[in-house]
Amino acid sequence: MSAPVRVLIVDDDPLVRGALSMILGGVPDLAVVGEVTDGAEVPEAVAAHAPDVVLMDIRMPRVDGLAATEALRATADPPEVLVLTTFDADEQVLRALRAGASGFLLKDTPPAEIVAAVRRVAAGEATLSPAVTRKLIAHVTGAAPAPGPDPKRERAVRLLDGLSEREREVAVLLGRGRTNAEISAELFMSVATVKAYVSRLLTKLDLNNRVQVALLVQDAGLV
């Protein structure tokens, strides 16, 4: 059997930490290896426990989860981050995902879905609550462009112009929220080939996960 997915819980509410520990600790293929109460404690806890996934709250007293995520994802070989919060404001979602979080779930997510999300994130698949996904897409694609030059759009266009035609096709489908299986069917390639393209995109674009590719495509105005 493979080793269980190692999870670090970061939340300042002891009731939430206890509930998450019970939920995740009762699953054979997951193991809660540590709990901390603030983002400031994350670097030391990650060094001590070597988690595969960090389940990260947003609002904490000293260092919030977004700042902690940005700092953690900037380190070498960081764990995946799954943001779990009561807040679903668009700017929070975007900042967390741009920082490199692989998922964003609300705290009212059913336990079985939290377990499934941890597994998906550990396997390299991004995950979002359906409600958050709808808000994110509506926010990014529906916002009116600001007048004048848009450095974010120009950067996105420049990066995507460096891709091959096939890589660009895969990137655009990621921007539309397609799964690997859906991309496979649409582009008539195997799922393994799709995964290889996604890995190549992350390397060429210097990004952490497929959600960031999707956001880059949206920044470029391709979806």
Coordinates of all heavy atoms in Angstrom, one line a residue, residues 50-120:
A50 N 6.8 17.8 7.1 CA 6.8 17.4 5.7 C 5.5 17.0 5.2 O 5.3 15.9 4.6 CB 7.9 16.3 5.5
P51 N 4.4 17.8 5.3 CA 3.1 17.5 4.8 C 3.1 17.4 3.3 O 3.9 18.1 2.6 CB 2.2 18.6 5.3 CG 3.1 19.8 5.4 CD 4.4 19.2 5.8
D52 N 2.1 16.7 2.7 CA 1.9 16.7 1.3 C 0.9 17.8 1.0 O 0.9 18.4 -0.1 CB 1.3 15.3 0.8 CG 2.2 14.2 1.1 OD1 3.4 14.2 0.7 OD2 1.8 13.3 1.9
V53 N 0.0 18.0 1.9 CA -1.1 19.0 1.7 C -1.2 19.9 3.0 O -1.2 19.3 4.1 CB -2.5 18.4 1.4 CG1 -3.6 19.4 1.3 CG2 -2.4 17.5 0.1
V54 N -1.3 21.2 2.8 CA -1.6 22.1 3.9 C -3.0 22.6 3.7 O -3.4 23.2 2.7 CB -0.7 23.3 3.9 CG1 -1.0 24.3 5.1 CG2 0.8 22.8 4.1
L55 N -3.9 22.3 4.7 CA -5.3 22.8 4.8 C -5.2 24.1 5.5 O -5.1 24.2 6.7 CB -6.1 21.8 5.5 CG -7.6 21.8 5.2 CD1 -8.0 21.8 3.7 CD2 -8.3 20.6 5.9
M56 N -5.4 25.2 4.7 CA -5.1 26.6 5.2 C -6.3 27.5 5.4 O -7.1 27.7 4.4 CB -4.1 27.2 4.2 CG -3.6 28.6 4.6 SD -2.1 28.5 5.6 CE -0.9 28.1 4.4
D57 N -6.5 28.0 6.6 CA -7.6 29.0 6.8 C -7.1 30.3 6.3 O -5.9 30.5 6.1 CB -7.8 29.1 8.3 CG -9.0 30.0 8.6 OD1 -9.9 30.2 7.8 OD2 -9.1 30.5 9.8
I58 N -8.0 31.3 6.0 CA -7.6 32.6 5.5 C -7.4 33.6 6.7 O -6.3 34.1 6.8 CB -8.6 33.1 4.5 CG1 -8.4 32.4 3.2 CG2 -8.4 34.6 4.3 CD1 -9.3 33.0 2.0
R59 N -8.4 33.7 7.5 CA -8.3 34.8 8.5 C -7.7 34.2 9.8 O -8.3 33.4 10.5 CB -9.7 35.4 8.8 CG -10.2 36.2 7.6 CD -11.3 37.1 8.0 NE -11.6 38.1 7.0 CZ -12.5 39.0 7.1 NH1 -13.2 39.2 8.2 NH2 -12.8 39.8 6.0
M60 N -6.5 34.7 10.1 CA -5.8 34.4 11.3 C -5.2 35.6 11.9 O -4.9 36.6 11.2 CB -4.8 33.3 11.0 CG -5.4 31.9 10.7 SD -4.3 30.6 10.3 CE -3.7 31.1 8.6
P61 N -4.9 35.7 13.2 CA -4.5 36.9 13.9 C -3.2 37.6 13.4 O -3.2 38.8 13.3 CB -4.5 36.5 15.4 CG -4.3 35.1 15.4 CD -5.0 34.5 14.2
R62 N -2.2 36.8 13.2 CA -0.9 37.5 12.9 C -0.6 37.4 11.4 O -0.5 38.5 10.7 CB 0.2 36.8 13.7 CG 0.2 37.1 15.2 CD 1.4 36.4 15.8 NE 1.3 35.0 15.8 CZ 2.4 34.2 16.0 NH1 3.6 34.7 16.3 NH2 2.2 32.9 16.0
V63 N -0.4 36.3 10.8 CA -0.2 36.1 9.4 C -1.3 35.3 8.8 O -1.6 34.2 9.2 CB 1.1 35.3 9.1 CG1 1.3 35.1 7.6 CG2 2.3 36.1 9.7
D64 N -2.1 36.0 7.9 CA -3.2 35.3 7.3 C -2.8 34.2 6.3 O -1.7 34.1 5.9 CB -4.2 36.3 6.7 CG -3.7 37.0 5.4 OD1 -2.9 36.3 4.7 OD2 -4.1 38.1 5.1
G65 N -3.8 33.4 6.0 CA -3.5 32.2 5.1 C -3.1 32.6 3.7 O -2.4 31.8 3.1
L66 N -3.5 33.7 3.2 CA -3.1 34.1 1.9 C -1.6 34.5 1.9 O -0.9 34.0 1.0 CB -3.9 35.3 1.4 CG -5.4 35.0 1.3 CD1 -6.2 36.3 0.8 CD2 -5.7 33.9 0.3
A67 N -1.2 35.3 2.8 CA 0.3 35.6 2.9 C 1.1 34.4 3.2 O 2.2 34.2 2.6 CB 0.5 36.6 4.1
A68 N 0.6 33.5 4.1 CA 1.3 32.2 4.3 C 1.4 31.4 3.1 O 2.4 30.7 2.9 CB 0.6 31.5 5.5
T69 N 0.3 31.3 2.3 CA 0.4 30.5 1.1 C 1.4 31.1 0.1 O 2.2 30.4 -0.5 CB -1.0 30.5 0.4 OG1 -1.9 29.9 1.3 CG2 -1.0 29.8 -0.9
E70 N 1.4 32.4 -0.1 CA 2.4 33.1 -1.0 C 3.8 32.8 -0.6 O 4.6 32.4 -1.4 CB 2.1 34.6 -1.0 CG 0.8 35.0 -1.7 CD 0.5 36.4 -1.5 OE1 1.0 37.1 -0.6 OE2 -0.4 36.9 -2.2
A71 N 4.1 32.8 0.7 CA 5.4 32.6 1.2 C 5.8 31.1 1.1 O 6.9 30.8 0.6 CB 5.5 33.0 2.7
L72 N 4.8 30.2 1.3 CA 5.1 28.8 1.3 C 5.3 28.3 -0.2 O 6.3 27.6 -0.5 CB 3.9 28.0 1.9 CG 4.0 26.5 1.9 CD1 5.2 26.1 2.7 CD2 2.7 25.9 2.5
R73 N 4.5 28.8 -1.1 CA 4.6 28.4 -2.5 C 5.9 29.0 -3.2 O 6.3 28.5 -4.2 CB 3.4 28.8 -3.3 CG 2.1 28.1 -2.9 CD 2.2 26.6 -3.0 NE 2.4 26.2 -4.4 CZ 2.6 24.9 -4.8 NH1 2.6 23.9 -3.9 NH2 2.8 24.6 -6.0
A74 N 6.5 30.0 -2.5 CA 7.7 30.5 -3.1 C 9.0 29.7 -2.7 O 10.0 30.0 -3.2 CB 7.9 32.0 -2.6
T75 N 8.8 28.7 -1.8 CA 9.9 27.9 -1.4 C 10.2 26.8 -2.3 O 9.3 26.5 -3.2 CB 9.7 27.4 0.1 OG1 8.5 26.5 0.0 CG2 9.4 28.5 1.0
A76 N 11.3 26.1 -2.2 CA 11.6 25.0 -3.0 C 10.8 23.8 -2.6 O 10.6 23.5 -1.4 CB 13.1 24.6 -2.9
D77 N 10.2 23.1 -3.6 CA 9.4 21.9 -3.4 C 8.4 22.0 -2.3 O 8.3 21.2 -1.3 CB 10.3 20.7 -3.1 CG 9.7 19.3 -3.2 OD1 8.7 19.3 -4.0 OD2 10.1 18.4 -2.5
P78 N 7.4 23.0 -2.4 CA 6.5 23.2 -1.4 C 5.3 22.2 -1.4 O 5.1 21.6 -2.5 CB 5.9 24.6 -1.7 CG 6.0 24.7 -3.2 CD 7.3 23.9 -3.5
P79 N 4.6 22.0 -0.3 CA 3.4 21.1 -0.3 C 2.3 21.8 -1.1 O 2.4 23.0 -1.3 CB 3.1 20.9 1.2 CG 3.6 22.2 1.8 CD 4.9 22.5 1.0
E80 N 1.3 21.0 -1.4 CA 0.1 21.7 -2.0 C -0.7 22.4 -0.9 O -0.6 22.0 0.2 CB -0.8 20.6 -2.7 CG -0.1 19.8 -3.8 CD 0.3 20.6 -5.0 OE1 -0.3 21.7 -5.2 OE2 1.2 20.2 -5.7
V81 N -1.4 23.4 -1.3 CA -2.2 24.2 -0.4 C -3.7 24.1 -0.8 O -4.0 24.4 -1.9 CB -1.8 25.6 -0.3 CG1 -2.7 26.4 0.6 CG2 -0.3 25.7 0.2
L82 N -4.5 23.8 0.2 CA -6.0 23.7 0.0 C -6.6 24.8 1.0 O -6.5 24.6 2.2 CB -6.5 22.3 0.2 CG -8.0 22.1 0.1 CD1 -8.5 22.5 -1.3 CD2 -8.4 20.7 0.4
V83 N -7.1 25.8 0.4 CA -7.6 26.9 1.3 C -9.0 26.6 1.7 O -9.9 26.3 0.8 CB -7.6 28.3 0.5 CG1 -8.3 29.4 1.3 CG2 -6.1 28.7 0.2
L84 N -9.3 26.6 3.0 CA -10.6 26.3 3.5 C -11.1 27.5 4.4 O -10.4 27.9 5.3 CB -10.5 25.1 4.4 CG -11.8 24.5 5.0 CD1 -12.8 24.1 3.9 CD2 -11.6 23.4 6.0
T85 N -12.2 28.1 4.0 CA -12.6 29.4 4.7 C -14.1 29.6 4.7 O -14.8 28.9 3.9 CB -11.9 30.6 4.0 OG1 -12.2 31.8 4.7 CG2 -12.3 30.7 2.5
T86 N -14.6 30.5 5.5 CA -16.0 30.9 5.5 C -16.2 32.0 4.4 O -17.3 32.3 4.2 CB -16.4 31.4 6.8 OG1 -15.5 32.4 7.3 CG2 -16.3 30.3 7.9
F87 N -15.1 32.5 3.9 CA -15.3 33.7 3.0 C -15.1 33.3 1.6 O -14.2 32.5 1.2 CB -14.2 34.7 3.4 CG -14.4 35.2 4.8 CD1 -13.6 34.6 5.8 CD2 -15.2 36.2 5.1 CE1 -13.8 35.0 7.1 CE2 -15.4 36.6 6.5 CZ -14.6 36.0 7.4
D88 N -15.9 33.8 0.7 CA -15.8 33.4 -0.8 C -15.7 34.7 -1.6 O -16.2 34.7 -2.8 CB -16.9 32.5 -1.2 CG -18.3 33.2 -1.1 OD1 -18.4 34.2 -0.4 OD2 -19.2 32.6 -1.7
A89 N -15.2 35.8 -1.1 CA -15.1 37.0 -1.9 C -14.2 36.8 -3.0 O -13.2 36.1 -2.9 CB -14.6 38.2 -1.0
D90 N -14.5 37.4 -4.2 CA -13.8 37.2 -5.4 C -12.3 37.5 -5.2 O -11.4 36.7 -5.7 CB -14.3 38.1 -6.5 CG -15.8 37.7 -6.9 OD1 -16.1 36.5 -6.8 OD2 -16.5 38.6 -7.2
E91 N -12.0 38.6 -4.6 CA -10.6 38.9 -4.4 C -9.8 37.9 -3.6 O -8.6 37.7 -3.8 CB -10.4 40.4 -3.8 CG -10.9 40.5 -2.4 CD -12.4 40.8 -2.3 OE1 -13.1 40.7 -3.4 OE2 -12.9 41.2 -1.2
Q92 N -10.5 37.3 -2.6 CA -9.8 36.3 -1.8 C -9.5 35.0 -2.7 O -8.5 34.4 -2.6 CB -10.7 35.9 -0.6 CG -11.1 37.1 0.3 CD -10.0 37.4 1.3 OE1 -8.8 37.1 1.1 NE2 -10.4 38.0 2.4
V93 N -10.5 34.6 -3.5 CA -10.3 33.5 -4.3 C -9.2 33.7 -5.3 O -8.3 32.9 -5.4 CB -11.6 33.2 -5.2 CG1 -11.4 32.1 -6.1 CG2 -12.8 33.0 -4.2
L94 N -9.2 34.9 -6.0 CA -8.2 35.2 -7.0 C -6.8 35.2 -6.3 O -5.8 34.7 -6.9 CB -8.5 36.5 -7.7 CG -9.7 36.4 -8.6 CD1 -10.0 37.8 -9.1 CD2 -9.3 35.5 -9.8
R95 N -6.7 35.9 -5.2 CA -5.3 36.0 -4.6 C -4.8 34.7 -4.1 O -3.6 34.3 -4.3 CB -5.4 37.0 -3.4 CG -4.0 37.2 -2.7 CD -4.1 38.2 -1.6 NE -2.8 38.1 -0.8 CZ -2.7 38.6 0.4 NH1 -3.7 39.2 1.0 NH2 -1.6 38.4 1.1
A96 N -5.7 33.8 -3.6 CA -5.3 32.5 -3.1 C -4.8 31.7 -4.3 O -3.8 31.0 -4.2 CB -6.4 31.8 -2.4
L97 N -5.5 31.7 -5.4 CA -5.2 30.9 -6.6 C -3.9 31.4 -7.3 O -3.1 30.6 -7.7 CB -6.4 30.8 -7.5 CG -7.6 30.1 -6.9 CD1 -8.7 30.1 -7.9 CD2 -7.3 28.6 -6.5
R98 N -3.9 32.7 -7.4 CA -2.7 33.3 -8.0 C -1.4 33.0 -7.1 O -0.3 32.9 -7.7 CB -2.8 34.8 -8.2 CG -3.9 35.1 -9.3 CD -3.9 36.6 -9.6 NE -5.0 37.0 -10.4 CZ -5.1 36.8 -11.7 NH1 -4.1 36.2 -12.4 NH2 -6.2 37.2 -12.4
A99 N -1.6 32.9 -5.8 CA -0.5 32.6 -4.9 C 0.0 31.2 -5.1 O 1.1 30.9 -4.6 CB -0.9 32.9 -3.5
G100 N -0.8 30.3 -5.7 CA -0.4 29.0 -5.9 C -1.2 27.9 -5.2 O -0.9 26.7 -5.2
A101 N -2.3 28.4 -4.5 CA -3.2 27.4 -3.8 C -3.8 26.5 -4.9 O -4.2 27.0 -6.0 CB -4.3 28.1 -3.1
S102 N -3.9 25.2 -4.6 CA -4.5 24.3 -5.6 C -6.0 24.1 -5.4 O -6.6 23.4 -6.2 CB -3.8 22.9 -5.5 OG -2.4 23.0 -5.8
G103 N -6.5 24.6 -4.4 CA -8.0 24.5 -4.2 C -8.5 25.5 -3.2 O -7.7 26.1 -2.4
F104 N -9.8 25.7 -3.3 CA -10.4 26.7 -2.4 C -11.8 26.2 -2.1 O -12.7 26.0 -2.9 CB -10.5 28.0 -3.2 CG -10.9 29.2 -2.4 CD1 -10.0 30.2 -2.1 CD2 -12.2 29.4 -1.9 CE1 -10.3 31.3 -1.4 CE2 -12.5 30.5 -1.1 CZ -11.6 31.5 -0.9
L105 N -12.0 25.8 -0.8 CA -13.3 25.2 -0.4 C -13.9 26.1 0.7 O -13.1 26.6 1.6 CB -13.1 23.8 0.1 CG -12.7 22.7 -0.9 CD1 -12.4 21.4 -0.2 CD2 -13.7 22.6 -2.0
L106 N -15.2 26.2 0.8 CA -15.9 26.8 1.9 C -16.0 25.9 3.1 O -16.1 24.7 2.9 CB -17.2 27.3 1.4 CG -17.2 28.2 0.2 CD1 -18.6 28.7 -0.1 CD2 -16.3 29.4 0.4
K107 N -16.1 26.4 4.3 CA -16.1 25.6 5.5 C -17.4 24.8 5.6 O -17.5 23.9 6.5 CB -15.8 26.5 6.7 CG -14.3 26.8 6.9 CD -14.0 27.5 8.2 CE -12.5 27.8 8.3 NZ -12.2 28.5 9.6
D108 N -18.4 25.2 4.9 CA -19.6 24.4 5.0 C -19.7 23.3 4.0 O -20.7 22.6 3.7 CB -20.9 25.3 4.7 CG -20.9 26.0 3.4 OD1 -20.0 25.8 2.6 OD2 -21.8 26.8 3.1
T109 N -18.5 23.0 3.3 CA -18.4 21.9 2.4 C -18.6 20.6 3.2 O -18.0 20.4 4.3 CB -17.0 21.9 1.7 OG1 -16.8 23.1 1.0 CG2 -16.8 20.7 0.8
P110 N -19.4 19.6 2.7 CA -19.6 18.4 3.4 C -18.3 17.6 3.6 O -17.4 17.7 2.8 CB -20.5 17.6 2.5 CG -21.2 18.6 1.7 CD -20.2 19.7 1.5
P111 N -18.2 16.9 4.7 CA -16.9 16.2 5.1 C -16.4 15.3 3.9 O -15.2 15.3 3.7 CB -17.3 15.4 6.3 CG -18.3 16.2 7.0 CD -19.1 16.8 5.8
A112 N -17.3 14.5 3.3 CA -16.8 13.6 2.2 C -16.2 14.4 1.1 O -15.2 13.9 0.5 CB -18.0 12.8 1.7
E113 N -16.7 15.6 0.8 CA -16.1 16.4 -0.3 C -14.8 17.0 0.1 O -13.9 17.2 -0.7 CB -17.1 17.5 -0.7 CG -18.3 17.0 -1.3 CD -19.3 18.2 -1.8 OE1 -18.8 19.3 -2.0 OE2 -20.5 17.9 -2.0
I114 N -14.6 17.3 1.4 CA -13.3 17.8 1.9 C -12.3 16.7 1.8 O -11.1 16.9 1.3 CB -13.4 18.3 3.4 CG1 -14.3 19.5 3.5 CG2 -12.0 18.6 3.9 CD1 -14.5 20.0 4.9
V115 N -12.6 15.5 2.1 CA -11.7 14.3 2.0 C -11.3 14.1 0.5 O -10.1 14.0 0.2 CB -12.4 13.1 2.6 CG1 -11.5 11.8 2.2 CG2 -12.5 13.1 4.1
A116 N -12.3 14.2 -0.3 CA -12.1 14.0 -1.8 C -11.2 15.1 -2.3 O -10.3 14.9 -3.1 CB -13.4 14.0 -2.5
A117 N -11.4 16.3 -1.8 CA -10.6 17.5 -2.3 C -9.1 17.3 -1.9 O -8.2 17.6 -2.7 CB -11.2 18.8 -1.7
V118 N -8.9 16.9 -0.7 CA -7.5 16.6 -0.2 C -6.8 15.6 -1.1 O -5.7 15.7 -1.5 CB -7.5 16.2 1.3 CG1 -6.1 15.7 1.7 CG2 -7.9 17.3 2.2
R119 N -7.6 14.5 -1.4 CA -7.0 13.5 -2.3 C -6.7 14.1 -3.6 O -5.6 13.8 -4.2 CB -8.0 12.3 -2.4 CG -8.1 11.5 -1.2 CD -9.3 10.5 -1.3 NE -9.4 9.6 -0.2 CZ -10.5 9.0 0.1 NH1 -11.6 9.2 -0.5 NH2 -10.5 8.2 1.2
R120 N -7.6 14.8 -4.2 CA -7.3 15.4 -5.6 C -6.1 16.3 -5.6 O -5.3 16.3 -6.5 CB -8.6 16.1 -6.1 CG -9.7 15.2 -6.5 CD -10.7 15.9 -7.3 NE -11.4 17.0 -6.6 CZ -12.5 16.9 -5.9 NH1 -13.0 15.8 -5.7 NH2 -13.0 18.0 -5.3

